[in-house]
Amino acid sequence: MTSWVDLPVLWFGVTVLAWVLFFVLEGFDFGVGFVGPLLGRTDAERGAALRTVGPVWDGNEVWLVAAIGVTFAAFPDWYAALLSGLYLPMIALLLLLAVRGVAIEFRGKHDSASWHRRCDAFLATSSLLLAGTWGAVLGALVTGLALDPGGEVHGGGLSRSLAPVLGPWAVLGGFAGVLLTTVHGATFLALRTTGPVRARARRLAVATAPALVVIALALFIAAGHAAVAAAAALLALAAVAAWRGAEALAFAATSVAVAGSVVAVFTAHLADGSWVLLPSTLSSANDVTLRAAAASEGALQLITVAGVVVLPAVVVYQVWSYWVFRQRVSTGPAPRWARPRVPAAR
């Protein structure tokens, strides 16, 4: 196996793919979470918007488990450095995911408009914070962490873990993350709903995408990564497609734009051939590199055998679930044939 497959490179690709699938799938999920309650003017409209992700949101989160698990198994030193430097943001993300899950599941447990509004508020707030925090974390990965020679983050206290997500690239990443999930969620709602929510979602995507195009072009000028330029072009295409009512094309464009953005982050430091996974802001000698961070050859062979069975099965199941729940969710008045018949007065 190892004579013709470079296992560290192979598993780096699988790791990036798992993170890409998580951000693409949970990206529209987060977007619907905080855009749906805003676009829905009535309780019925907000409930219909939530039903577009109701059957799939927990399946989407499986890719977070897969991404973290693959990172830990294939690159334990990379995993350790990330958790060492970003443990507080990661804890915050886990708590926000828990709040979001409770809000989704508990919304339908009580038939009360006030109860629904409270759940919608928790859902919108947690989804917005998740999008911003994940964007900040990805922004922090671009600049790197203050890693010492032992692979741990230099310093102590709260500032050690919060400083990476408060830097300029992290703040920009958080802002871009919110905007990108807004457009991604809006195009998904436009694709999966009918009636007034569909129309409002299309207008929101058209209005928000140009700001993201400007940010992406600025990042391309600063970083020069081709994937960022491609993301800018795709976001422009998404805006035009949403404006013309081609919702499937608009959602496909935002999906690829999200994927390209994630790939750009994880490959930002590979262009010079050094295979740096996570740069150190203290010294380049402390950088976490792909081959140094990889697990042993035997461990990589073992997870390769397991991955051949597990990962395709997860993909097949998820594709099937999306196919089953592919129909649009109505957010407008019931069609004439579905209205109850009222006997004519005699």
Side-chain angles (χ1 to χ4, degrees):
M1 179 185 297
T2 57
S3 61
W4 57 275
V5 176
D6 191 334
L7 289 180
V9 175
L10 170 66
W11 276 99
F12 175 72
V14 174
T15 302
V16 174
L17 176 62
W19 283 109
V20 163
L21 290 172
F22 167 69
F23 282 110
V24 169
L25 297 176
E26 280 289 80
F28 73 75
D29 216 337
F30 296 155
V32 171
F34 66 82
V35 166
L38 299 177
L39 296 181
R41 305 291 172 78
T42 65
D43 184 64
E45 290 179 357
R46 291 189 289 272
L50 182 59
R51 287 200 301 276
T52 62
V53 297
V56 297
W57 71 270
D58 48 355
N60 294 343
E61 291 187 356
V62 168
W63 287 108
L64 176 60
V65 178
I68 292 176
V70 169
T71 305
F72 171 74
F75 302 97
D77 289 349
W78 187 20
Y79 173 88
L82 290 173
L83 267 294
S84 171
L86 298 168
Y87 65 91
L88 281 180
M90 291 299 179
I91 291 174
L93 287 169
L94 292 177
L95 292 175
L96 288 169
L97 285 170
V99 171
R100 184 173 175 276
V102 169
I104 293 174
E105 291 295 332
F106 278 47
R107 189 184 191 276
K109 302 300 182 183
H110 185 54
D111 190 16
S112 165
S114 60
W115 173 262
H116 291 172
R117 282 194 299 271
R118 286 194 291 271
C119 290
D120 289 340
F122 278 107
L123 173 62
T125 303
S126 59
S127 298
L128 179 64
L129 291 175
L130 279 165
T133 305
W134 274 120
V137 167
L138 292 178
L141 297 185
V142 174
T143 55
L145 302 175
L147 299 174
D148 61 21
E152 297 183 357
V153 175
H154 179 75
L158 293 177
S159 59
R160 185 183 75 169
S161 188
L162 290 179
V165 295
L166 296 178
W169 278 87
V171 172
L172 180 61
F175 183 64
V178 171
L179 287 178
L180 189 53
T181 50
T182 298
V183 177
H184 198 31
T187 56
F188 181 78
L189 277 178
L191 177 65
R192 293 282 286 107
T193 58
T194 65
V197 171
R198 178 186 181 187
R200 295 175 199 138
R202 285 172 53 187
R203 289 196 295 268
L204 179 62
V206 173
T208 310
L212 268 172
V213 173
V214 173
I215 293 175
L217 290 175
L219 290 174
F220 172 69
I221 294 172
H225 203 297
V228 181
L234 287 164
L235 290 167
L237 172 63
V240 174
W243 176 64
R244 295 180 63 87
E247 289 111 347
L249 178 60
F251 178 67
T254 59
S255 297
V256 180
V258 172
S261 301
V262 176
V263 170
V265 169
F266 281 96
T267 61
H269 303 284
L270 301 183
D272 59 358
S274 59
W275 292 97
V276 173
L277 299 180
L278 184 63
S280 171
T281 58
L282 300 180
S283 171
S284 59
N286 304 335
D287 292 346
V288 177
T289 60
L290 181 142
R291 300 196 183 279
S296 66
E297 187 79 7
L300 291 177
Q301 291 178 358
L302 179 62
I303 63 174
T304 299
V305 173
V308 168
V309 177
V310 175
L311 293 178
V314 175
V315 172
V316 169
Y317 167 76
Q318 200 150 38
V319 170
W320 174 80
S321 65
Y322 275 95
W323 175 257
V324 169
F325 297 103
R326 67 188 181 277
Q327 299 298 326
R328 290 180 181 267
V329 176
S330 175
T331 62
R336 185 178 299 276
W337 58 266
R339 296 173 189 168
R341 295 182 179 274
V342 178
R346 295 183 179 179

